[in-house]
Amino acid sequence: MTEGGATLEESVRQRARAKLAEADQLLRAVDEGWAPPPFDPLLVALALGIRCAPVAEPWLEDAMIFVQEGRPTILYRPERPRARTSFNIFHEIAHTLFPDYLSNPRYRHPRRPRLFEPEGRLEYLCDLAATEFLMPMDLFSADLKASGFGAGRAEALATRYGASLEAVCLRMMEVDAESCALVLVEPRRQLKRGEWRELERWMELPPQGGQRLRATYAVLSERFRREGLTFPTCLALGQRNCLDRAARSRKLVAGPERLELGRGQSQDFYVEALPLTTHPSRRGRVPVLGFFYPR
Ligand SMILES: [Zn+2]
């Protein structure tokens, strides 16, 4: 989809950059302490004439924007994790890039619309813009160039931008500095033994006992795609693989891995497995992001 030559996505990112530049210029002039990143969403909103009010209303999932007495107003839940609150407020600011928020007296999201619904498309574009507000691409890619790509850089970047580890890793993939597949593996999303057995039969996987993990998603860098590589979301790995070790130890684990692709095919990778939390989990394993670099 294009708008004046640029893709719609790129034009939304451009609009977000212009808005952020407008706020940045104003804040630099009036606030000596303003030295982003991180970009404080409350200050950015203030500079753009948007009112923000914390509320503890249980009906409010994360945040919402509406017009009150002619002024855009964002309500948000302050007790959510900080990185999530920042992203949510930037998402609501992003709604002001589109005219339709003005016609909604109370722009509420009781249920997040699916991508194929018209509102889902808008939500997706607001997420794109929110990411641009939180981690402007020119700054972020310069930082990544200076520090180098990889799971080991994620924590410092997350602190620098006030973003979550997962958001930072997804942003890294957009920079496309490496040939890499990024996967999220969550203990609660795993298949049952019987479901795996069916899948193993269909994929013609070797019957011996490696470990099977299902990825919640897999994101491929452009370079990875250009090499003509694909990546399965059902991962057949060795018994003591990096992802599982990181999920249990809650520490970054790296090393070589062979991934069975089924029907006699396999692919060698160097893997970095990054746990998304250091807090223990009742399940004995925590969610993990895996960086797979083909070898
Ligand atoms: Zn929204």
Side-chain angles (χ1 to χ4, degrees), residues 55 90 100 150 157 179 185 200:
V55 291
F90 276 133
D100 84 316
L157 286 168
S179 175
V185 172
E200 280 171 351

mmCIF file of all heavy atoms in Angstrom, residues 55 90 100 150 157 179 185 200:
data_model
loop_
_atom_site.group_PDB
_atom_site.id
_atom_site.type_symbol
_atom_site.label_atom_id
_atom_site.label_comp_id
_atom_site.label_asym_id
_atom_site.label_seq_id
_atom_site.Cartn_x
_atom_site.Cartn_y
_atom_site.Cartn_z
ATOM 1 N N VAL A 55 -5.259 6.794 35.887
ATOM 2 C CA VAL A 55 -6.504 6.331 36.515
ATOM 3 C C VAL A 55 -6.343 4.876 36.956
ATOM 4 O O VAL A 55 -5.523 4.151 36.403
ATOM 5 C CB VAL A 55 -7.728 6.419 35.564
ATOM 6 C CG1 VAL A 55 -8.124 7.848 35.283
ATOM 7 C CG2 VAL A 55 -7.486 5.662 34.285
ATOM 8 N N PHE A 90 2.515 6.247 24.259
ATOM 9 C CA PHE A 90 2.934 6.616 22.896
ATOM 10 C C PHE A 90 1.943 6.083 21.860
ATOM 11 O O PHE A 90 1.686 6.733 20.845
ATOM 12 C CB PHE A 90 4.346 6.106 22.601
ATOM 13 C CG PHE A 90 5.417 7.034 23.099
ATOM 14 C CD1 PHE A 90 6.500 6.556 23.819
ATOM 15 C CD2 PHE A 90 5.355 8.400 22.829
ATOM 16 C CE1 PHE A 90 7.495 7.419 24.269
ATOM 17 C CE2 PHE A 90 6.345 9.264 23.286
ATOM 18 C CZ PHE A 90 7.411 8.777 24.007
ATOM 19 N N ASP A 100 -9.372 10.164 12.786
ATOM 20 C CA ASP A 100 -10.640 9.603 13.273
ATOM 21 C C ASP A 100 -10.782 9.598 14.798
ATOM 22 O O ASP A 100 -11.861 9.413 15.309
ATOM 23 C CB ASP A 100 -10.876 8.197 12.696
ATOM 24 C CG ASP A 100 -10.178 7.145 13.497
ATOM 25 O OD1 ASP A 100 -9.005 7.382 13.852
ATOM 26 O OD2 ASP A 100 -10.805 6.121 13.793
ATOM 27 N N GLY A 150 22.997 -8.146 18.802
ATOM 28 C CA GLY A 150 22.973 -9.399 19.553
ATOM 29 C C GLY A 150 22.228 -9.321 20.863
ATOM 30 O O GLY A 150 21.954 -8.232 21.381
ATOM 31 N N LEU A 157 20.281 -1.491 25.892
ATOM 32 C CA LEU A 157 19.414 -0.687 25.013
ATOM 33 C C LEU A 157 18.033 -0.496 25.635
ATOM 34 O O LEU A 157 17.427 0.572 25.511
ATOM 35 C CB LEU A 157 19.299 -1.347 23.635
ATOM 36 C CG LEU A 157 20.550 -1.223 22.747
ATOM 37 C CD1 LEU A 157 20.455 -2.148 21.544
ATOM 38 C CD2 LEU A 157 20.742 0.218 22.287
ATOM 39 N N SER A 179 22.003 -11.595 9.512
ATOM 40 C CA SER A 179 21.096 -12.646 9.082
ATOM 41 C C SER A 179 20.676 -13.403 10.339
ATOM 42 O O SER A 179 21.497 -14.048 10.982
ATOM 43 C CB SER A 179 21.806 -13.592 8.114
ATOM 44 O OG SER A 179 20.952 -14.663 7.814
ATOM 45 N N VAL A 185 9.752 -18.114 22.808
ATOM 46 C CA VAL A 185 9.252 -19.398 23.314
ATOM 47 C C VAL A 185 8.705 -19.173 24.725
ATOM 48 O O VAL A 185 9.412 -18.678 25.597
ATOM 49 C CB VAL A 185 10.371 -20.470 23.335
ATOM 50 C CG1 VAL A 185 9.894 -21.733 24.041
ATOM 51 C CG2 VAL A 185 10.806 -20.803 21.914
ATOM 52 N N GLU A 200 5.222 -34.536 14.512
ATOM 53 C CA GLU A 200 6.459 -35.262 14.191
ATOM 54 C C GLU A 200 6.228 -36.198 13.023
ATOM 55 O O GLU A 200 7.062 -36.315 12.122
ATOM 56 C CB GLU A 200 6.929 -36.070 15.404
ATOM 57 C CG GLU A 200 7.659 -35.230 16.424
ATOM 58 C CD GLU A 200 7.918 -35.992 17.710
ATOM 59 O OE1 GLU A 200 7.391 -37.124 17.874
ATOM 60 O OE2 GLU A 200 8.650 -35.449 18.554
#
